[in-house]
Amino acid sequence: MENSKSLNATTYITFDGYVDLHKFRYLYFVMILTVYILIIFSNATIVCLIWTRKSLHEPMYIFIAALLLNSIFTCTNIYPKMLIDFVSEKQVMSYSACLVQFFLFYLFGGSEFFLLAAMAYDRFVSISKPLQYPNILTHTTVIICLVLAWFVPAFPSMILIILLHNNEVKLCNLEVKGIFCNNAIYSLHCVIPRSVTIFGAFSVVNSIILPLLFIVFTYTKILIISYRSCKEVRKKAAETCLPHLLVLFSLTCLSVYDIIIVRTESNFPKPARMIMTLQIFLYHPLFNPLIYGLKMKEIHKHLKLLICQAKTI
């Protein structure tokens, strides 16, 4: 094979992150297909519940629905290709398709942080300015927040894709030490251009660090307000903020792993790397509907009604 390969022709890359695929391919297929169906069903159920119940047509629940819909998009970007890989002799993907998967993965990943930031702002206004809440969190404000949540992370990710698809970028390796196209694709390139490094860092700051700082600042303010208020306010803050904080903690841990795995991949055992990579899009999309379905009182109430109605049919 040549030392470097131009991107003029169709280039295919191989995924080398699977463990004992020849032995467990059908077990993997059944497990992942089951998880994918559960993710679609659980997330879509709560989204439909929020859509159809007028009492849930409030900013907080609309943001939750957007977050769960985001999880469906993320998994649909990854799971179908992975299921094909399980039953295929070769786990390959064109470089162009890999870049599309890379773009969508970080678009939806960044959107999740921005949606959590919108939820933090919603809770802050609800607790600190309850009387002004309807005038601040209007229908227009909610739409603007949703548009920005998907548009802002898209810009740096799109620039990265354009730079990586540039004909001047050469590939010295056609094997990804992973099971889908995330940060691991940087290991394919002979030399990572400085522009890619700069925009990669900008993307991390823009899509993760800035919304994370905003969330930390907002919840700190909520904590201070709750501490100075009555017991009822503290209870309300705990009931509505705790689910968001649990989801934020889970997402942050997985994002940190995704960022550092590229720098430690040579020393990271292959089975451990596969297990950790699966966590990014395996338990987290199941964790979200579980948390919001059980911890959010109004959603939990409507879920119980839905289950009771289903039993009577």
Side-chain angles (χ1 to χ4, degrees), residues 21-169:
L21 190 58
H22 60 289
K23 293 182 181 179
F24 304 114
R25 65 172 68 247
Y26 296 111
L27 177 62
Y28 287 155
F29 182 88
V30 172
M31 288 175 61
I32 295 301
L33 179 60
T34 302
V35 170
Y36 185 42
I37 292 171
L38 283 173
I39 288 170
I40 298 296
F41 176 77
S42 58
N43 285 274
T45 298
I46 296 181
V47 170
C48 291
L49 202 63
I50 293 171
W51 179 269
T52 56
R53 299 296 198 269
K54 287 187 178 181
S55 62
L56 297 178
H57 290 181
E58 297 179 10
M60 177 174 64
Y61 300 115
I62 293 172
F63 290 138
I64 289 173
L67 189 74
L68 300 182
L69 197 61
N70 202 68
S71 293
I72 294 175
F73 293 154
T74 301
C75 293
T76 303
N77 178 43
I78 297 170
Y79 276 73
K81 176 62 175 73
M82 189 182 303
L83 291 170
I84 293 171
D85 284 341
F86 289 145
V87 295
S88 302
E89 289 301 318
K90 293 183 178 180
Q91 293 70 48
V92 297
M93 190 180 203
S94 71
Y95 182 71
S96 297
C98 184
L99 290 180
V100 172
Q101 188 180 63
F102 174 93
F103 167 73
L104 292 175
F105 177 69
Y106 289 107
L107 164 62
F108 296 134
S111 296
E112 193 151 352
F113 276 101
F114 276 94
L115 288 170
L116 288 171
M119 291 180 188
Y121 178 67
D122 171 83
R123 292 301 83 205
F124 171 72
V125 176
S126 175
I127 292 169
S128 64
K129 301 177 181 179
L131 297 179
Q132 297 173 275
Y133 179 82
N135 296 324
I136 297 175
L137 267 295
T138 62
H139 183 67
T140 303
T141 305
V142 172
I143 291 175
I144 291 172
C145 288
L146 292 176
V147 170
L148 289 177
W150 277 295
F151 177 77
V152 175
F155 172 71
S157 297
M158 181 61 73
I159 297 297
L160 270 177
I161 295 305
I162 293 171
L163 293 172
L164 289 172
H165 204 266
N166 192 306
N167 286 332
E168 295 179 2
V169 177

Side-chain angles (χ1 to χ4, degrees), residues 256-275:
V256 169
Y257 165 76
D258 184 68
I259 293 170
I260 66 173
I261 186 59
V262 178
R263 301 185 184 278
T264 60
E265 63 177 6
S266 59
N267 301 319
F268 216 65
K270 191 174 179 180
R273 184 168 63 241
M274 179 179 174
I275 291 170

Side-chain angles (χ1 to χ4, degrees), residues 1 5-16 81 85 90-99 165 171-176 181 185 188:
M1 189 173 67
K5 188 175 182 66
S6 173
L7 301 181
N8 290 327
T10 302
T11 305
Y12 289 91
I13 61 173
T14 304
F15 297 107
D16 187 41
K81 176 62 175 73
D85 284 341
K90 293 183 178 180
Q91 293 70 48
V92 297
M93 190 180 203
S94 71
Y95 182 71
S96 297
C98 184
L99 290 180
H165 204 266
L171 300 181
C172 286
N173 177 27
L174 297 179
E175 191 174 84
V176 173
C181 295
I185 69 169
L188 300 175

